[in-house]
Amino acid sequence: MRTLTVELGERSYPIYIGSGLLEQIGSYLERHSVSTKSPLLVVTDDHIAPLYLDKTVEQLEHHGYRVVTSVVAAGEKAKSLSVFEDVMTAAIQGGLDRKSAVLALGGGVVGDLAGFVAATYMRGIKFVQIPTTILAHDSSVGGKVAVNHPLAKNMIGAFHQPVMVLYDVDTLQTLPMRDVKAGYSEMIKHGLIWDEAFADWCYSHADSLLSLNREDLAYGLEKGCAVKAAVVSQDEQENGLRAILNLGHTIGHAIEAVGGYGEFLHGEAISIGMIGSALLAVNRGRERSIYTRTKEILERFGLPTALPKHVDTEQLISALLHDKKFKENLIVFVLPVAIGKVEIVSDITLDEVRSVIEQLKEEA
Amino acid sequence: MRTLTVELGERSYPIYIGSGLLEQIGSYLERHSVSTKSPLLVVTDDHIAPLYLDKTVEQLEHHGYRVVTSVVAAGEKAKSLSVFEDVMTAAIQGGLDRKSAVLALGGGVVGDLAGFVAATYMRGIKFVQIPTTILAHDSSVGGKVAVNHPLAKNMIGAFHQPVMVLYDVDTLQTLPMRDVKAGYSEMIKHGLIWDEAFADWCYSHADSLLSLNREDLAYGLEKGCAVKAAVVSQDEQENGLRAILNLGHTIGHAIEAVGGYGEFLHGEAISIGMIGSALLAVNRGRERSIYTRTKEILERFGLPTALPKHVDTEQLISALLHDKKFKENLIVFVLPVAIGKVEIVSDITLDEVRSVIEQLKEEA
């Protein structure tokens, strides 16, 4: 079992990564002073519920916890104010009080939704993350929780750190292969922005990671979380450094949007976005090897590195301009300086972006 | 002009109290580093808008601010998730960014709603309170913001401190007399829980306060805010001491609920609740003078001190048990020990409450 601490002063918390952890959930909660006198709320989705909900509730009840559950429909649509209100109703009807905890059993969507419930129920109660996807290694660090507004993603939210993250790698074994691949996109990103050796390790362990070898998986998750934790510890409220975590996300979010949040998984869109950032950097005079190596690593994981030709360039540009990173006709971008190092560039023009989008489509 | 600082470490903020302040709103914002580059959102209600909105917007635009407004229907119903979403829509459409501020121009309802928008828009932006009621001197200190869930009041919220409070006593001159009286209820409470001399001062200045003498009003608001600030500074997140601010609120909230949030104003319900707390204390052996003096002060302000006979005792008990302060058949109450001093008692039985409710009805 691996343990990593996210250092945030009095809000510091541990991430436990290993096999068989879900069977010990009760003792982990006790160790973190979650009272058995107050009911717990477990939030999950209808994909995860049939696999792990009964087992989780059973373990918790075995430890003397009273448990209320709320199962939402799988997918991004669960991050709406209306589903948020439904989960709040479950919390109130279940009698949760100020010493209760909300447990997020699932991926990033469940974590964001349940986390925002925990952040705002009675002005904030305890929050525990139990990620069941590889991708969630990213969202489980940093305390960003949110729901969507019909006009913009993640617009309504808070910073609310969990009291612990319990990462049971066994729950990842049931992931569909497409989610496995897409899940590694953010892990690779953590190498690309911070740690060339880790990016190289990902590349050389791709086969074992894709086959979900528990030991390598746990190591990769720990390293990925550690990079994010290092960044977040220095900039909890996203005032500066934390922006480097957005590598690939400006173009990536636009790709997700034009695909109607269905055609591309988040990890896939980010993968294409990271190639886009590498091209922007190369077009501005950086070493071409930044682009070729980035592409090589992402392709090794079967991740997309080109934009399908049917994607409309102007529609993509328009989605990108709706993004919050836009300022006075110039766009802020995180660009690679080398593998393992990035910089924030705030004067990227629309023409540069347009040209890179065309390059991304030529690759297809 | 009086200035009071609420001491909360890096979240400390000033409360400015005086005449003619609204005409200087722009310079106050500049002084608090609210950028003119990002749009502001002013939230108010349809009672206040005709009186002060144009003037406020004009002052802000005069100082180079771009202003977006959101006018909600007056009354508690504005504290719903659906109105919250509407205000969020105005913020997004108005292009608010992470350096923008939300200004609450109004009473407690507007402050709670706008504050929760500020707490959660893009995970938290700046918040400025411009209270236009006497009662809001209470809610403008402490950073508690919230909306209601259909099943319970203030259930969805956050702690989000304003960057400043601008209390222009001129805006209080247009208050209906019933709101003036009810507004003093929380001010008197601050004397009753913390400062006998201030309670006495309120009593002896009742006439001048009720006629809205600007100087006495400003002094009373400052002292009331100061008591609350002293309590909140010691317990920002409501883990202990802060509970004393609930004097009169357990019975008071139940009275508001059975009255359908229309029959009794908050201040009126709290007034009756404070008499109830005094009776509970006296029934347990405290000096009877606690009760007679509390009643004398409240009556001096024309505040109700008895429960109308038509209020159903069991319905009131049932509303009270729905309140979050209830635990294992015993109820936590804040009870006076003397004028200016309270204690938290956690073993009040239902029979004691029932008997006090009957006493409150006999007074009518």
Side-chain angles (χ1 to χ4, degrees):
Chain A
M1 212 263 299
R2 296 173 177 276
T3 307
L4 173 80
T5 303
V6 182
E7 299 288 355
L8 290 166
E10 59 180 20
R11 288 183 299 285
S12 297
Y13 62 92
I15 302 177
Y16 303 107
I17 306 170
S19 191
L21 299 186
L22 201 51
E23 280 137 47
Q24 304 161 57
I25 174 90
S27 6
Y28 277 96
L29 288 182
E30 277 183 328
R31 197 187 303 172
H32 287 276
S33 314
V34 176
S35 164
T36 52
K37 289 187 185 154
S38 301
L40 301 176
L41 173 67
V42 179
V43 181
T44 191
D45 69 34
D46 55 12
H47 286 180
I48 297 298
L51 298 170
Y52 306 112
L53 184 56
D54 286 352
K55 179 177 163 184
T56 305
V57 172
E58 198 178 290
Q59 286 296 328
L60 291 168
E61 288 178 342
H62 180 70
H63 267 81
Y65 286 102
R66 247 185 320 137
V67 186
V68 184
T69 62
S70 180
V71 179
V72 304
E76 187 75 20
K77 286 204 172 68
K79 282 176 64 175
S80 70
L81 273 180
S82 119
V83 175
F84 168 77
E85 184 164 6
D86 292 344
V87 179
M88 279 284 175
T89 305
I92 297 170
Q93 288 178 335
L96 266 74
D97 60 38
R98 294 183 56 191
K99 297 199 190 260
S100 290
V102 177
L103 281 60
L105 176 67
V109 167
V110 166
D112 278 4
L113 170 69
F116 190 53
V117 169
T120 56
Y121 184 77
M122 291 184 167
R123 300 194 179 85
I125 60 175
K126 285 179 178 164
F127 176 42
V128 173
Q129 295 244 40
I130 311 165
T132 60
T133 65
I134 298 168
L135 193 65
H137 91 279
D138 180 48
S139 52
S140 67
V141 182
K144 275 186 170 186
V145 295
V147 294
N148 301 327
H149 185 281
L151 297 176
K153 273 188 80 171
N154 294 324
M155 198 50 88
I156 303 170
F159 290 94
H160 192 63
Q161 306 296 342
V163 293
M164 70 162 181
V165 178
L166 197 81
Y167 221 133
D168 187 337
V169 294
D170 298 344
T171 64
L172 306 175
Q173 306 295 321
T174 47
L175 282 173
M177 190 37 108
R178 188 174 170 195
D179 290 317
V180 171
K181 289 177 181 172
Y184 285 116
S185 188
E186 295 274 8
M187 188 184 286
I188 294 164
K189 183 200 76 182
H190 288 130
L192 294 176
I193 63 172
W194 197 259
D195 185 342
E196 183 177 10
F198 180 50
D200 290 343
W201 179 89
C202 288
Y203 179 75
S204 58
H205 290 74
D207 288 337
S208 135
L209 288 170
L210 288 170
S211 65
L212 297 168
N213 170 291
R214 283 179 170 76
E215 204 173 312
D216 285 342
L217 184 49
Y219 175 81
L221 292 173
E222 185 192 2
K223 285 295 278 186
C225 289
V227 169
K228 179 141 187 201
V231 173
V232 168
S233 297
Q234 288 175 55
D235 178 21
E236 186 178 2
Q237 305 273 322
E238 198 167 23
N239 296 313
L241 181 68
R242 194 161 171 165
I244 69 169
L245 297 168
N246 290 325
L247 178 71
H249 280 63
T250 303
I251 291 177
H253 281 161
I255 293 174
E256 284 183 273
V258 299
Y261 297 102
E263 184 176 351
F264 303 93
L265 295 179
H266 179 69
E268 292 166 351
I270 298 316
S271 176
I272 304 170
M274 288 191 286
I275 296 290
S277 303
L279 286 170
L280 276 170
V282 171
N283 293 349
R284 284 203 165 194
R286 295 284 175 199
E287 291 283 344
R288 191 166 165 81
S289 63
I290 294 173
Y291 160 71
T292 50
R293 179 60 175 162
T294 300
K295 193 172 171 196
E296 190 172 40
I297 299 171
L298 292 168
E299 279 178 342
R300 191 78 184 74
F301 282 82
L303 283 161
T305 56
L307 209 50
K309 290 206 191 300
H310 69 81
V311 173
D312 183 72
T313 302
E314 290 313 310
Q315 212 186 329
L316 195 64
I317 294 275
S318 153
L320 194 142
L321 294 183
H322 269 90
D323 204 62
K324 54 191 166 191
K325 283 155 213 88
F326 168 63
K327 248 183 215 168
E328 292 154 14
N329 279 317
L330 294 173
I331 307 167
V332 181
F333 261 88
V334 184
L335 296 189
V337 171
I339 299 296
K341 196 167 182 317
V342 291
E343 62 179 344
I344 295 171
V345 177
S346 40
D347 63 346
I348 300 287
T349 65
L350 271 186
D351 282 345
E352 286 178 278
V353 178
R354 200 171 271 121
S355 137
V356 157
I357 292 174
E358 291 304 329
Q359 282 178 273
L360 284 170
K361 283 162 82 171
E362 279 161 27
E363 306 268 329
Chain B
M1 212 264 299
R2 296 171 178 276
T3 307
L4 173 80
T5 303
V6 181
E7 300 287 356
L8 290 166
E10 58 179 21
R11 288 182 300 285
S12 297
Y13 63 92
I15 301 178
Y16 303 107
I17 306 170
S19 192
L21 299 186
L22 202 52
E23 281 137 46
Q24 304 162 56
I25 173 90
S27 8
Y28 278 97
L29 287 182
E30 277 183 329
R31 196 186 304 171
H32 286 278
S33 315
V34 176
S35 165
T36 53
K37 289 187 185 154
S38 302
L40 301 177
L41 173 67
V42 179
V43 182
T44 191
D45 69 36
D46 55 12
H47 286 180
I48 297 297
L51 298 170
Y52 306 111
L53 184 56
D54 286 353
K55 179 177 164 184
T56 306
V57 172
E58 198 179 290
Q59 286 296 328
L60 291 168
E61 288 178 343
H62 180 71
H63 267 82
Y65 286 102
R66 248 189 318 140
V67 186
V68 184
T69 62
S70 179
V71 180
V72 304
E76 186 75 20
K77 286 205 171 68
K79 283 176 63 176
S80 70
L81 273 180
S82 120
V83 175
F84 168 77
E85 184 164 6
D86 292 344
V87 180
M88 279 284 175
T89 305
I92 296 170
Q93 288 178 336
L96 266 75
D97 60 37
R98 294 183 55 191
K99 297 197 190 263
S100 291
V102 177
L103 280 60
L105 175 68
V109 166
V110 166
D112 278 5
L113 170 69
F116 190 53
V117 169
T120 56
Y121 184 78
M122 290 185 167
R123 299 194 180 85
I125 60 175
K126 284 179 180 165
F127 176 42
V128 173
Q129 296 244 39
I130 310 165
T132 61
T133 65
I134 298 168
L135 193 66
H137 91 280
D138 180 48
S139 52
S140 67
V141 182
K144 274 186 169 186
V145 295
V147 294
N148 300 327
H149 184 281
L151 296 177
K153 273 188 80 171
N154 294 324
M155 199 50 90
I156 303 171
F159 289 95
H160 192 63
Q161 305 296 342
V163 292
M164 70 162 179
V165 178
L166 196 82
Y167 222 133
D168 186 337
V169 294
D170 298 343
T171 65
L172 306 175
Q173 305 294 323
T174 46
L175 281 174
M177 190 38 106
R178 187 174 170 196
D179 290 317
V180 172
K181 289 178 182 171
Y184 285 116
S185 188
E186 295 274 9
M187 188 185 285
I188 294 165
K189 183 200 76 182
H190 289 129
L192 294 176
I193 64 172
W194 196 260
D195 185 342
E196 183 177 8
F198 180 50
D200 289 343
W201 180 89
C202 288
Y203 179 75
S204 58
H205 291 74
D207 288 337
S208 135
L209 288 169
L210 288 170
S211 65
L212 298 167
N213 171 291
R214 284 179 170 76
E215 204 174 312
D216 285 342
L217 184 49
Y219 176 81
L221 291 173
E222 185 192 2
K223 285 294 280 186
C225 289
V227 169
K228 180 142 186 200
V231 173
V232 168
S233 297
Q234 289 175 55
D235 178 22
E236 187 178 0
Q237 304 274 319
E238 199 168 24
N239 296 312
L241 181 69
R242 193 161 173 165
I244 69 169
L245 298 168
N246 290 325
L247 178 71
H249 281 62
T250 303
I251 291 177
H253 281 160
I255 293 174
E256 283 184 274
V258 298
Y261 298 102
E263 184 176 351
F264 303 93
L265 296 179
H266 180 68
E268 293 166 350
I270 298 315
S271 176
I272 304 170
M274 288 192 286
I275 296 289
S277 304
L279 286 169
L280 276 169
V282 171
N283 293 349
R284 283 203 166 193
R286 296 281 175 201
E287 291 283 344
R288 189 165 167 82
S289 63
I290 295 173
Y291 160 72
T292 50
R293 179 62 175 160
T294 300
K295 193 174 170 195
E296 191 172 39
I297 299 171
L298 293 167
E299 279 178 343
R300 191 80 183 72
F301 283 82
L303 284 160
T305 56
L307 208 51
K309 289 208 191 300
H310 70 80
V311 172
D312 183 72
T313 302
E314 290 314 311
Q315 211 187 330
L316 196 64
I317 294 275
S318 153
L320 194 142
L321 294 183
H322 269 90
D323 205 63
K324 54 192 166 190
K325 283 155 213 88
F326 168 63
K327 247 182 214 168
E328 291 156 15
N329 280 315
L330 295 173
I331 308 168
V332 181
F333 261 88
V334 184
L335 296 190
V337 171
I339 299 295
K341 196 168 182 319
V342 291
E343 63 179 344
I344 294 170
V345 177
S346 40
D347 63 346
I348 300 287
T349 65
L350 273 187
D351 282 346
E352 285 177 278
V353 178
R354 201 170 271 121
S355 135
V356 158
I357 293 174
E358 292 304 331
Q359 281 177 272
L360 284 170
K361 284 161 81 171
E362 278 160 28
E363 306 269 329

